[in-house]
């Protein structure tokens, strides 16, 4: 069962669609454009604030010594953010060159707590100081020699780099170190030399982001140099990478939950469908016993509706098969009787000694031939009835008009020389113009009514025969009654008269004139129209005797 569930085509489709939606959602989150841009903007603002504080502190703590600016580290460390100290000698006409030996200790102490790189350029955009190469006196510098072999990158680094390149903006400039410590290649440095502030986001060859900001170092509106602050390569990428890892963890949990729920959903769909399909295949192969279709009608969904439809279809199929088998047996039995009589007459005909015997045998042969012809015609009509009703679309039939025409025709027919009065009564109470409209086949409904009228004609007495046809509306049905004043139907055979090939003809009628299929075909036609055909006796009030037979047709009325 688990194997069928996993490898089912429907299960694979459900899993694929659910996971595809989840992957699209996670891919959009992984792109992190808004988060990345917000993080870069926050980093730029932080570096600008930090740069202004450092540049202001450098400019404010400068002192004039023989036409130069010097930095007093002790005063600089005592300053608070936004405070300035006037230099000892202030003269705007003097030049204030930056002394690297005095600025370096202060810059090192301000930058060392952070992972920010600081560079100071003079007014010619030449590099004066770089925090990457600042060191105090007595400090031992130790550098690892680069390996001759290219460093081995782990799978995690390769995947992280691939993700960075895939989601990285393509319009970012490439970061490179200026040749000869020339800061003029940085547009933000040149903008700061003009007195403004600048910020640029660049990307390294490894796909790592670097944010650089430049602020001017000013003294009395004179730009002495530029402070360039930049992040370490990969600082922002590490934060984004950590967020991606968290998203991947959430994705893993969500994917597992999605897979489990998809399998449960598929089991509620694929498993019932597989059982229904297997049962249908067993029905098609023709098992010996009657195959039951699984019942899922309690689900109240499409699968439940499919189960009910398949069960009804299978039951109708088995009923049809049983009816065909019964019909074939009845046909075989009914055909054997005239064939047996015909064979006996044919075998006896050569032995006839006189003309009278020969003529009697020929009459028997002709009678049996006519009987077989009648049987074959009725059998053919009954066998193609279902297929004909299924193929043809029904139309609206006005029962009032149909009965009027049939009764007029029946009045003109005089079967057996009987004088029969045929009356039509239409109950107009509570009926409108469309009260007697039904949906069906007018030719087949006319065949039923003709059969009932002619059947009643054969049972009415020779004198005073009367047939009454009544039409009325009963709730949502159109009712037709065909009544006669004949002897009625014996109680024990009142249902058998609708069986195939059953005949109970009045006295005096020649044997074999009826095939016994008329009432059976009539009931079959009425049931195909969704109605009912029943029979009952008409009792005389008071004495309980029968005053004739009554056939009742109920057909569903067409809604206006």
């Amino acid at each position: 069962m688990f194997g069928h569930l996993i490898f089912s085509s429907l299960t694979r489709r459900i899993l694929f669609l659910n996971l595809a939606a989840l992957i699209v959602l996670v891919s959009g989150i992984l792109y992190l454009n808004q988060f990345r841009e917000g993080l870069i903007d926050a980093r730029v603002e932080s570096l600008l604030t930090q740069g202004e504080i450092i540049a202001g502190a450098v400019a404010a703590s400068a002192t004039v010594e023989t036409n130069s600016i010097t930095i007093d580290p002790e005063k600089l460390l005592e300053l608070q953010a936004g405070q300035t100290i006037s230099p000892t000698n202030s003269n705007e006409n003097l030049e204030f060159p930056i002394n690297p030996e005095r600025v370096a200790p202060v810059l090192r102490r301000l930058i060392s707590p952070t992972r920010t790189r600081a560079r100071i350029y003079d007014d010619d955009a030449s590099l004066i100081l770089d925090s990457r190469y600042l060191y105090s006196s007595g400090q031992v510098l130790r550098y690892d020699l680069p390996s001759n072999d290219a460093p081995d990158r782990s799978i995690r680094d390769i995947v992280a780099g691939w993700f960075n390149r895939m989601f990285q903006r393509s319009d970012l400039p490439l970061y490179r170190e200026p040749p000869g410590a020339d800061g003029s290649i940085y547009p933000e440095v040149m903008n700061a030399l003009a007195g403004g502030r600048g910020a640029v986001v660049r990307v390294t060859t490894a796909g790592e982001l670097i944010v650089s900001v430049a602020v001017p170092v000013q003294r009395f509106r004179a730009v002495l140099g530029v402070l360039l602050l930049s992040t370490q390569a990969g600082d922002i990428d590490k934060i984004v990478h950590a967020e991606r890892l968290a998203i991947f963890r959430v994705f893993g949990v969500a994917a597992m939950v999605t897979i489990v729920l998809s399998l449960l959903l598929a089991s509620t769909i694929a498993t019932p469908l597989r059982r229904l399909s297997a049962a249908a295949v067993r029905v098609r192969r023709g098992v010996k016993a009657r195959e039951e279709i699984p019942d899922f009608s309690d689900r109240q969904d499409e699968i439940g509706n499919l189960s009910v439809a398949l069960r009804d279809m299978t039951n109708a199929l088995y009923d049809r098969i049983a009816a065909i088998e019964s019909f074939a047996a009845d046909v075989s039995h009914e055909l054997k009787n005239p064939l047996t009589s015909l064979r006996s007459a044919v075998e006896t005909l050569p032995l006839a000694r006189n003309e009278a015997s020969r003529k009697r045998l020929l009459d028997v042969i002709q009678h049996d031939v006519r009987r077989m012809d009648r049987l074959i015609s009725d059998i053919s009509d009954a066998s193609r009835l279902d297929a004909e009703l299924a193929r043809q679309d029904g139309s609206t039939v006005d029962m009032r008009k149909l009965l009027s025409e049939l009764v007029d025709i029946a009045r003109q027919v005089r079967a057996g020389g009987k004088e029969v009065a045929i009356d039509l009564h239409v109950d107009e109470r509570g009926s409108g113009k469309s009260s007697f409209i039904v949906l069906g086949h007018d030719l087949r409904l006319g065949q039923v009514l003709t059969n009932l009228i002619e059947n009643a004609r054969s049972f009415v007495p020779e004198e005073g025969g009367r047939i009454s046809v009544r039409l009325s509306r009963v709730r949502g049905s159109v009712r037709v009654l065909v009544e006669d004043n004949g002897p009625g139907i014996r109680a024990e055979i009142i249902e058998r008269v609708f069986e195939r090939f059953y005949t109970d003809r009045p006295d005096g009628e020649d044997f074999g004139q009826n095939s016994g299929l008329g009432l059976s075909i009539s009931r079959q036609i009425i049931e195909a129209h969704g109605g009912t055909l029943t029979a009952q006796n008409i009792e005389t009030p008071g004495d309980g005797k029968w005053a004739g037979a009554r056939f009742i047709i109920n057909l569903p009325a067409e809604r206006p």
Side-chain angles (χ1 to χ4, degrees):
M1 177 178 177
F2 187 74
H4 282 293
L5 183 62
I6 292 297
F7 299 105
S8 167
S9 176
L10 181 61
T11 304
R12 291 197 301 270
R13 288 189 178 93
I14 292 175
L15 278 174
F16 173 76
L17 293 177
N18 289 341
L19 288 178
L22 184 60
I23 290 172
V24 170
L25 176 62
V26 171
S27 299
I29 296 175
L30 284 176
Y31 194 67
L32 290 176
N33 263 349
Q34 187 174 2
F35 174 76
R36 188 202 305 269
E37 296 299 328
L39 188 62
I40 292 175
D41 292 341
R43 194 65 168 170
V44 168
E45 292 296 328
S46 174
L47 288 177
L48 287 174
T49 303
Q50 184 180 355
E52 289 181 349
I53 293 174
I54 296 175
V58 170
S61 62
T63 58
V64 179
E65 291 183 0
T66 62
N67 200 26
S68 64
I69 294 179
T70 59
I71 303 299
D72 187 353
E74 299 298 331
K75 293 182 180 181
L76 182 61
L77 295 177
E78 293 175 0
L79 289 177
Q80 300 295 328
Q83 293 181 347
T84 61
I85 299 176
S86 300
T88 305
N89 296 319
S90 61
N91 190 345
E92 294 183 3
N93 296 323
L94 296 178
E95 294 182 0
F96 301 93
I98 299 175
N99 189 343
E101 294 181 358
R102 293 182 178 273
V103 173
V106 177
L107 188 62
R108 180 171 55 249
R109 296 184 64 179
L110 292 175
I111 295 299
S112 59
T114 67
R115 289 178 51 84
T116 307
R117 181 184 180 184
R119 283 169 282 185
I120 297 180
Y121 295 89
D122 60 12
D123 53 0
D124 293 329
S126 298
L127 181 63
I128 298 176
L129 289 174
D130 189 344
S131 63
R132 181 180 292 179
Y133 305 110
L134 291 178
Y135 56 92
S136 60
S137 59
Q139 182 179 0
V140 178
L141 299 179
R142 179 179 298 172
Y143 299 96
D144 294 330
L145 295 176
S147 175
N148 293 330
D149 301 330
D152 295 334
R153 300 180 63 190
S154 63
I155 297 179
R156 179 179 177 181
D157 295 336
I158 295 175
V159 173
W162 179 75
F163 265 101
N164 286 336
R165 286 190 298 272
M166 183 175 64
F167 296 113
Q168 190 67 264
R169 287 174 50 184
S170 59
D171 58 342
L172 295 179
L174 182 65
Y175 176 81
R176 53 198 174 107
E177 291 289 340
D182 182 13
S184 61
I185 68 170
Y186 296 136
E188 65 269 28
V189 172
M190 301 308 294
N191 186 43
L193 286 175
R197 301 189 309 175
V200 177
V201 181
R202 295 181 176 87
V203 61
T204 66
T205 55
E208 298 173 331
L209 294 177
I210 294 180
V211 179
S212 300
V213 298
V215 294
V217 179
Q218 301 183 81
R219 176 64 176 172
F220 300 115
R221 297 182 182 178
V223 178
L224 307 179
V226 175
L227 173 64
L228 179 64
L229 296 179
S230 58
T231 61
Q232 297 291 331
D235 284 353
I236 296 178
D237 298 281
K238 289 179 181 178
I239 299 174
V240 176
H241 183 65
E243 292 297 326
R244 286 200 181 110
L245 288 179
I247 292 173
F248 271 118
R249 296 189 189 97
V250 174
F251 168 73
V253 175
M256 291 300 298
V257 173
T258 301
I259 290 174
V260 172
L261 293 180
S262 298
L263 291 177
L264 291 177
L265 176 63
S267 66
T268 61
I269 299 176
T271 301
L273 289 179
R274 188 175 62 254
R275 292 181 58 189
L276 291 173
S277 175
V281 170
R282 290 194 296 269
V283 171
R284 178 180 61 83
R285 290 177 178 175
V287 294
K288 295 181 180 179
R290 188 183 181 105
E291 181 66 27
E292 286 293 333
I293 301 296
D295 186 7
F296 299 108
S297 57
D298 56 341
R299 288 176 57 116
Q300 300 298 322
D301 57 7
E302 286 75 7
I303 293 180
N305 296 337
L306 177 62
S307 170
V308 172
L310 284 178
R311 286 174 63 87
D312 293 342
M313 182 184 69
T314 304
N315 291 333
L317 178 62
Y318 280 121
D319 293 342
R320 182 66 58 82
I321 293 174
I324 291 174
E325 292 176 349
S326 176
F327 183 76
D330 294 341
V331 168
S332 175
H333 179 268
E334 290 298 320
L335 288 178
K336 282 183 178 180
N337 290 334
L339 282 175
T340 302
S341 174
L342 185 61
R343 185 178 63 182
S344 300
V346 170
E347 291 176 351
T348 308
L349 183 60
L351 303 178
R353 296 181 179 180
N354 50 48
E355 190 64 27
S357 299
R358 185 178 292 104
K359 184 178 182 303
R360 187 168 60 252
L361 290 174
L362 289 175
D363 292 340
V364 171
I365 292 174
Q366 291 178 359
H367 177 271
D368 290 338
V369 169
R370 288 193 299 269
R371 182 183 174 192
M372 287 186 63
D373 181 68
R374 190 180 304 108
L375 279 173
I376 292 173
S377 298
D378 291 343
I379 289 169
S380 175
D381 188 31
S383 62
R384 69 170 183 267
L385 180 61
D386 283 344
E388 181 181 334
L389 292 176
R391 285 195 302 266
Q392 296 178 356
D393 295 330
S395 59
T396 56
V397 179
D398 188 352
M399 295 299 294
R400 185 206 304 263
K401 180 180 178 182
L402 181 63
L403 282 175
S404 299
E405 294 175 353
L406 292 176
V407 169
D408 289 341
I409 295 174
R411 287 170 179 166
Q412 300 173 14
V413 176
R414 302 181 62 180
K418 288 184 180 180
E419 293 288 342
V420 180
I422 304 177
D423 300 325
L424 174 62
H425 304 278
V426 179
D427 188 358
E428 302 285 354
R429 292 177 299 176
S431 61
K433 185 176 180 181
S434 60
S435 297
F436 304 113
I437 302 297
V438 299
L439 182 64
H441 306 270
D442 54 351
L443 294 179
R444 289 301 181 179
L445 291 175
Q447 177 184 353
V448 172
L449 295 170
T450 301
N451 285 343
L452 296 180
I453 293 174
E454 294 304 320
N455 184 73
R457 188 196 299 270
S458 64
F459 283 94
V460 297
E462 295 288 339
E463 300 292 336
R466 188 182 72 256
I467 300 174
S468 177
V469 180
R470 301 180 184 274
L471 176 64
S472 61
R473 176 70 179 263
V474 180
R475 296 185 179 89
S477 301
V478 175
R479 176 172 292 180
V480 180
L481 304 180
V482 179
E483 302 174 341
D484 62 64
N485 60 346
I489 307 172
R490 299 197 308 272
E492 65 272 12
I493 65 169
I494 201 166
E495 277 299 321
R496 292 192 63 191
V497 295
F498 295 104
E499 294 180 0
R500 285 190 298 267
F501 304 111
Y502 180 82
T503 57
D504 184 23
R505 306 309 300 171
D507 296 337
E509 185 175 297
D510 294 337
F511 173 76
Q513 296 297 321
N514 296 88
S515 62
L517 287 173
L519 291 179
S520 174
I521 292 176
S522 298
R523 173 173 277 188
Q524 187 178 359
I525 293 173
I526 295 299
E527 290 179 349
H529 285 75
T532 59
L533 173 60
T534 56
Q536 62 181 212
N537 288 308
I538 303 174
E539 295 184 1
T540 303
D543 56 5
K545 294 182 178 180
W546 298 338
R550 176 188 294 129
F551 286 87
I552 306 171
I553 299 175
N554 285 304
L555 290 171
E558 178 70 4
R559 295 181 180 179

